[in-house]
Amino acid sequence: KFDLPYDSPVEPIRLEANDKLRFRCHKDVSCWNACCSKANVTLTPYDIIRLKKHLGISTTDVLAKHTVPFELDSGGMPGVKLRTTNEGACLFMTDAGCSVYENRPTACRYYPSGLLSMRAIDKNIDERSFLLIKEDHCMGHQEDQEQTVQQYREKQGVVEYDDYNREWYVIVLKKRSTGPAIGKPSEMSLQLFFMASYDVDRFRRFVTSDSFKKTYNLTPDFYTAIEQDDVALMQFGFKLMLQVLYGELSIPEVEGAWEKRLEERDEIL
């Protein structure tokens, strides 16, 4: 997986965490705001939560007002990107820079580097490298500040983002690594993926519904924890997706619940 803040024909250079990166972006650089003027920012689940926090609105409203949908792969796995102007500029861009800077998305924090996350078919964890892209317009590469990729990640606050999103990257990579072998996911699976990945407020209503409680054996402490904690709910969503989509069981189910639901559906049909 590798996302730049906007489309670029330049071939990236692969780096490791301890490799050196010479780069600094600041308001006095001659290309200020150029990368945000042609934005193509793919959002992660934690990105949405941070934007919700910054804007003071629900994740449902963040999606409706500030994103556009697209497909992450040929199987129709849903993704979201930041909405832009007709000219392609990020809606959060101002003359002074990013208006959501403290809560800016992962791809923006990484630029001009990026995360390359890979997963072997026989492994359940991803392997990480990083990429660097040098574009002609970007004068940040001419600055005299040098650091390792890891130091740059820490300074940009992207380590926290990667840690929170890691299980989600595994889910996406698992789908990509299996390819068409498992077939196109059902519409219901795609809806679950979208809701659990991007819309935690709607997902919370789903998880606290009577039908969900009759299916999964979860404690009162669990429901108390997710009542206000979006990150805890997001992480639970990752586990639910792994269980529903890939059969990796970690959430206890009420005995006989699925059979009962199938019987009820058959009666309706």
Side-chain angles (χ1 to χ4, degrees), residues 12-197:
I13 302 167
R14 181 167 174 171
L15 299 174
E16 301 303 328
N18 291 324
D19 288 338
K20 295 288 186 177
L21 167 66
R22 181 178 176 180
F23 181 81
R24 178 172 175 253
C25 181
H26 55 94
K27 192 175 180 181
D28 294 327
V29 73
S30 61
C31 60
W32 179 248
N33 273 348
C35 56
C36 305
S37 298
K38 295 293 182 182
N40 181 26
V41 179
T42 299
L43 298 173
T44 68
Y46 189 60
D47 291 340
I48 302 288
I49 289 175
R50 290 292 291 261
L51 288 173
K52 167 192 171 175
K53 173 185 175 182
H54 188 101
L55 299 169
I57 59 179
S58 69
T59 53
T60 305
D61 286 339
V62 171
L63 292 169
K65 297 176 180 180
H66 298 286
T67 73
V68 293
F70 78 109
E71 293 185 354
L72 288 169
D73 64 10
S74 59
M77 182 173 282
V80 292
K81 293 178 180 286
L82 278 183
R83 187 182 297 274
T84 65
T85 66
N86 291 336
E87 292 73 33
C90 177
L91 297 178
F92 295 126
M93 184 184 73
T94 69
D95 290 342
C98 177
S99 63
V100 296
Y101 186 80
E102 290 182 358
N103 295 286
R104 66 198 185 280
T106 306
C108 306
R109 291 172 182 268
Y110 260 115
Y111 188 79
S113 61
L115 173 65
L116 176 64
S117 189
M118 299 174 290
R119 173 184 173 272
I121 294 177
D122 60 343
K123 293 184 178 180
N124 288 323
I125 59 173
D126 59 327
E127 299 176 1
R128 293 182 172 186
S129 293
F130 305 93
L131 295 172
L132 172 67
I133 189 163
K134 289 187 175 181
E135 298 174 292
D136 291 339
H137 78 270
C138 183
M139 296 295 103
H141 297 286
Q142 306 305 316
E143 297 288 311
D144 59 3
Q145 183 169 306
E146 187 177 69
Q147 61 262 292
T148 65
V149 173
Q150 181 60 21
Q151 288 170 336
Y152 184 74
R153 292 176 70 232
E154 292 170 357
K155 184 176 181 180
Q156 296 301 317
V158 77
V159 175
E160 173 188 2
Y161 279 62
D162 283 347
D163 288 344
Y164 281 132
N165 285 315
R166 186 155 198 160
E167 282 188 277
W168 185 76
Y169 289 141
V170 169
I171 293 168
V172 174
L173 289 169
K174 190 183 287 282
K175 173 63 173 63
R176 288 177 174 173
S177 64
T178 54
I182 63 171
K184 183 178 175 64
S186 68
E187 186 63 29
M188 188 175 297
S189 296
L190 295 176
Q191 289 176 3
L192 172 64
F193 178 87
F194 184 89
M195 178 173 57
S197 295

Side-chain angles (χ1 to χ4, degrees), residues 207-208 212-223 226 236 240 250-254:
V207 170
T208 56
F212 191 89
K213 290 179 178 179
K214 291 177 181 178
T215 304
Y216 294 97
N217 190 13
L218 298 164
T219 67
D221 287 344
F222 164 79
Y223 284 105
I226 66 161
F236 174 77
L240 182 64
S250 63
I251 304 169
E253 298 177 356
V254 175

